[in-house]
Each structure stands twice: as C-alpha cells, then as structure tokens.
C-alpha cells in the first residue's frame, strides 16, 4: 500500500534456484500458478488457496502445504466487499467425507451438510464453464456460462429449502418442505415436547413411544426388535463405519442396544448410528 506494507503475498515456501526465473501464468482452468522457468514445476498455485469459489478440477480436501488444514472457501462480507465474511465451506473428513457450511459468527455452527460422499463429479464437456461459489448469505451456488446469452446463469444452490438447515427438526424426524409444518416423527415416535412442537418449534425432535426390547427390564412376550426401511432421506450425521457385509451390519446393530439405525451401500460399506443425547 502507500505505506509500503504488504497487503497480500503468495508466501512461497519453495525457493527457485538462483539461475532460474519465476513465471506467473493464468491457466485456461482458471488456476493462477507460479512456476520455475527451467523445470516448469509449480512453486505456488491459486487452486490450493481458494477464496469464495470452487472451479472444475480443483481438489477439495486437506492441504499439506498449509499444515494439513482443510481447503476452505470463505464468503465475501457483502456483495461489494471481498474481505472475509461470516461463512466458510469445507470438506470435513470424518468417518465419511462431507461438505459443511459453517457460520463463523456463531461458534462455527454447522448451517448445512451435504451428507456422506461416495462419488466424484466430472463434466461430459470440459469446455463448459461452471463454478460453485459461497455467497455472503451462506449459500453455495452453482453458476454456468451461457455462450449463447454471453452471461452467467444461476443453477442449483444449497441450502435450497428450510429442510436443508442443519438439525432443523431435531432427532428422529423427517422433514418435507412441501408440507406445513415440514417436520413429522417417524412411525413409532412422538414429539419430545408437544407444547413446543405444536407451537412450531420442532428442534427438540422425537422420542420412541415404546422402549426397545433390550431396554426393558422384562422382555417376556414382547416382539423382537427390528428395522423399518426408510427411503429418500439424507443419511444422519456421526456415522460409525466398518467393512462388514449387510447381514453382519444388521446383526451388529441389533446386538448393540445403543445402536438405533444402520445403512449399507456401494461405496459406503456398513454405517451404524448410536444414540447420542443432546
């Protein structure tokens, strides 16, 4: 700036040999790189230090060059102020990788989660210009370049509905944005607090109407515990992972009284959830 203070720098950790030149090049992918003129080796690249956008072919994960921390994108403060805003999005490497959007002003509270990933994404036409960005309100938005219209068109965005909000309905509910109110308890469950639930506050979630057989003092004559199949629902958070087969996964969950659900699928393996009290 005018006082000769450095506002921003690539802060290179790799030094180029004394007899070589460092070149800056903006690639067709949108990646700004600094490279050694003799070897073409990248000394620094912007794709490893994103701002508010993810571009095709940009890696999403942890960055060894920054101490192993997650590669995050950060929203602008306002539509016209590019300084760091209130929201960040990053890949969370738990039992299964997930994208989380968090509110930095609310103790890094999770606002949205993608659910576990077991696939990668690519485009049939690499010439298509597309990118995802985190706007100042905390939404990740996809934009596509229209060559015919010569402008950007807005595609999908998340969160898309109120049901996308993290823990919108608490534990053991389902959320349907087409219903009013959107939250309802699974079969065999009822609201934890009817007064709050009926007033529109469903954050307390639902509780089981009847205890599991393994929870009862006397289970003589009671039906054996089993499972109800659920479809078209996002898998819950905090899964435990194993490579057990589907029958083994089911059996393990049944034999563990704190286990309340399981899932099994290609790319996921065995996923189990144990009761967590909030």
């Amino acid at each position: 700036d005018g006082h000769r203070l450095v506002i921003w720098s690539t802060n290179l950790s790799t030094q180029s040999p004394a007899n070589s030149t460092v070149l800056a090049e903006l690639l067709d992918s949108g990646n700004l790189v600094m490279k050694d003129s003799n070897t073409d080796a990248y000394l620094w690249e912007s794709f490893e230090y994103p701002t508010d956008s993810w571009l095709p072919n940009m890696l999403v994960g942890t960055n060894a060059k920054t101490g192993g921390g997650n590669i995050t994108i950060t929203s602008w403060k306002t539509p016209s102020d590019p300084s760091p805003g209130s929201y960040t999005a990053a890949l969370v490497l738990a039992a299964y990788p997930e994208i989380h959007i968090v509110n930095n002003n609310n103790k890094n509270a999770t606002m949205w989660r993608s659910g576990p990933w077991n696939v990668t994404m690519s485009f049939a036409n690499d010439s298509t210009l597309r990118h995802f960005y985190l706007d100042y309100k905390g939404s990740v938005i996809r934009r596509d370049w229209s060559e015919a219209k010569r402008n950007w068109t807005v595609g999908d965005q998340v969160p898309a509905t109120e049901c996308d909000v993290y823990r919108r309905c608490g534990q053991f509910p389902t959320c349907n944005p087409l219903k009013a109110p959107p939250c309802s308890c699974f079969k065999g469950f009822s609201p934890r607090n009817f007064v709050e639930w009926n007033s529109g506050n469903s954050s307390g979630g639902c509780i089981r109407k009847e205890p599991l057989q393994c929870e009862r003092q006397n289970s003589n004559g009671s039906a054996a515990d089993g499972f109800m199949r659920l479809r078209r629902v996002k898998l819950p958070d905090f899964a435990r992972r194993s490579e057990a087969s589907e029958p083994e996964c089911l059996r393990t969950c049944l034999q563990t009284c704190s286990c309340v659900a399981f899932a099994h699928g290609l790319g996921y393996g065995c996923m189990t959830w144990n009761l967590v009290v909030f």
Side-chain angles (χ1 to χ4, degrees):
D1 64 7
H3 300 287
R4 302 184 65 81
L5 296 175
V6 175
I7 302 300
W8 178 85
S9 168
T10 55
N11 192 24
L12 292 180
S13 58
T14 302
Q15 297 298 320
S16 182
N19 62 345
S20 67
T21 303
V22 176
L23 302 177
E25 182 179 355
L26 181 60
L27 305 181
D28 289 341
S29 63
N31 194 9
L32 176 65
V33 302
M34 299 184 69
K35 63 182 183 179
D36 187 307
S37 62
N38 291 338
T39 64
D40 280 341
Y42 290 175
L43 305 176
W44 181 91
E45 55 182 304
S46 64
F47 270 19
E48 293 183 346
Y49 302 87
T51 53
D52 67 335
S53 299
W54 276 313
L55 297 176
N57 301 314
M58 182 184 289
L59 296 179
V60 179
T62 57
N63 190 346
K65 294 183 179 180
T66 58
N70 281 358
I71 297 177
T72 64
I73 58 175
T74 303
S75 66
W76 287 20
K77 182 171 291 186
T78 70
S80 59
D81 183 352
S83 58
S86 301
Y87 301 93
T88 58
L91 187 71
V92 176
L93 300 178
Y96 297 85
E98 298 188 29
I99 293 290
H100 279 216
I101 299 175
V102 301
N103 186 342
N104 302 321
N105 294 336
N106 187 19
K107 299 180 180 179
N108 293 331
T110 298
M111 307 298 295
W112 174 86
R113 54 180 283 267
S114 65
W117 277 13
N118 69 337
V119 297
T120 58
M121 182 179 66
S122 60
F123 302 111
N125 184 358
D126 288 338
S127 64
T128 300
L129 294 177
R130 171 175 294 176
H131 83 280
F132 298 84
Y133 75 99
L134 180 63
D135 78 351
Y136 75 103
K137 295 180 180 179
S139 296
V140 172
I141 302 172
R142 193 196 83 218
R143 297 205 307 171
D144 302 298
W145 176 256
S146 172
E147 192 63 34
K149 298 179 180 179
R150 301 298 298 172
N151 62 11
W152 291 97
T153 59
V154 176
D156 299 331
Q157 74 175 60
V158 292
T161 70
E162 62 176 316
C163 288
D164 287 334
V165 176
Y166 187 67
R167 290 185 55 82
R168 167 66 176 82
C169 300
Q171 287 186 319
F172 302 114
T174 181
C175 187
N176 186 339
L178 301 179
K179 292 183 178 180
C183 301
S184 58
C185 295
F186 289 133
K187 181 180 179 180
F189 290 78
S190 60
R192 181 182 298 273
N193 187 315
F194 277 96
V195 174
E196 291 183 351
W197 188 277
N198 291 333
S199 66
N201 179 7
S202 53
S203 60
C206 308
I207 56 175
R208 197 182 300 276
K209 293 180 180 178
E210 299 291 338
L212 295 173
Q213 186 184 60
C214 65
E215 296 173 334
R216 299 170 183 166
Q217 296 294 330
N218 184 356
S219 59
N220 292 336
S222 60
D225 293 334
F227 295 96
M228 178 178 66
R229 184 182 295 273
L230 300 174
R231 300 180 185 274
R232 299 180 63 81
V233 295
K234 180 184 288 187
L235 293 174
D237 211 353
F238 308 116
R240 294 186 178 183
R241 179 179 185 177
S242 76
E243 298 300 324
S245 66
E246 185 170 357
E248 292 172 336
C249 193
L250 183 152
R251 185 166 55 252
T252 298
C253 190
L254 277 179
Q255 293 173 349
T256 307
C257 196
S258 62
C259 183
V260 294
F262 88 97
H264 195 281
L266 182 64
Y268 291 121
C270 173
M271 307 174 72
T272 59
W273 286 269
N274 287 51
L275 183 63
V276 178
V277 179
F278 290 90

